[in-house]
Every structure is written in C-alpha cells, then in structure tokens.
Amino acid sequence: QVQLVESGGGLVQPGGSLRLSCAASKFTLDYYAIAWFRQAPGKEREGVSCINSRDGTSYYADSVKGRFTISRDNPKNTMYLQMNSLKPEDTAVYYCATGLFLAGCTLLPGGYDSWGQGTQVTVSS
C-alpha cells in the first residue's frame, strides 16, 4: 500500500475550473495504475478517470469526458485531475487511488488498494 494525499479541492462557481493534486511515491507513479473517484451525498463511489502509468492507457466516465483530464508527473511524484467547465452535479468528495495493474486500468473500485483521504469539491453559485 502507498500513502496518498489529495489537495486542491474547494468552492468554485459553475463553469469554473479546479486542479486536484495527489502526492504519491515515485514507485507508485512508475508502476501502478492511478485513478480518481468521487462520492456525492447519497450516492455510491464512482470512477471518474484512470490511467496506467506504464502503458498510458486511460479511461473517463461519460459524465466528465471532454471536461476532465487525468495526468501524472513522475519526477514530482504527483498525479492530477484537471477539472474544467464544472457543473453542480460534479459536487462530491474526490479520492485518488492506486493499484497494481499489469496493463490498463478500470473505473471500478475493486483492484485499487491505496486511497487518499479525499478532498471536497463544491460547485455552486
């Protein structure tokens, strides 16, 4: 397991942007799949985006495709979620996660064994 620490959440107006960061180890970013999940009040945790740090394979939930971008900076041991054109329905606690995948990644929580503490994103006027 790897320690993960998210940051960058906050309050933003609809249409605005935020960039979430997740600090991790170099080895995690080099050899693990990374992902972002979110959980809104009264809803189950859902996968937002993931990327395999080995082969670059990435996926996005339909609800965020074209608005969110997942990336990583291995020298800085950090992963990011750039969120643009935010909507009120994006309001949730966002979690970063890592897991050991031979290739590819999944938006299902199973398979991810390390999780951050979560950071609140609120989209409201």
Side-chain angles (χ1 to χ4, degrees):
Q1 295 184 336
V2 180
Q3 291 186 355
L4 303 171
V5 181
E6 300 102 333
S7 62
L11 175 65
V12 64
Q13 295 183 347
S17 298
L18 283 174
R19 187 181 70 168
L20 305 183
S21 300
C22 178
S25 72
K26 179 180 179 180
F27 291 104
T28 297
L29 297 183
D30 283 344
Y31 300 113
Y32 282 70
I34 60 176
W36 288 93
F37 292 78
R38 66 185 182 185
Q39 188 165 18
K43 296 184 178 181
E44 295 185 348
R45 188 170 299 186
E46 65 172 341
V48 175
S49 182
C50 68
I51 186 169
N52 186 287
S53 59
R54 287 176 176 264
D55 61 21
T57 301
S58 63
Y59 297 98
Y60 293 89
D62 289 341
S63 59
V64 307
K65 193 172 298 182
R67 300 188 298 120
F68 291 10
T69 303
I70 190 171
S71 63
R72 79 283 193 188
D73 189 335
N74 288 353
K76 295 182 178 180
N77 300 328
T78 303
M79 55 191 289
Y80 305 96
L81 184 68
Q82 178 67 46
M83 304 184 295
N84 298 326
S85 302
L86 284 163
K87 305 174 181 179
E89 51 262 43
D90 294 319
T91 296
V93 177
Y94 283 72
Y95 302 88
C96 62
T98 64
L100 184 60
F101 291 78
L102 295 179
C105 63
T106 178
L107 295 182
L108 299 175
Y112 295 95
D113 53 14
S114 297
W115 295 82
Q117 83 287 352
T119 185
Q120 177 70 48
V121 173
T122 302
V123 184
S124 178
S125 298

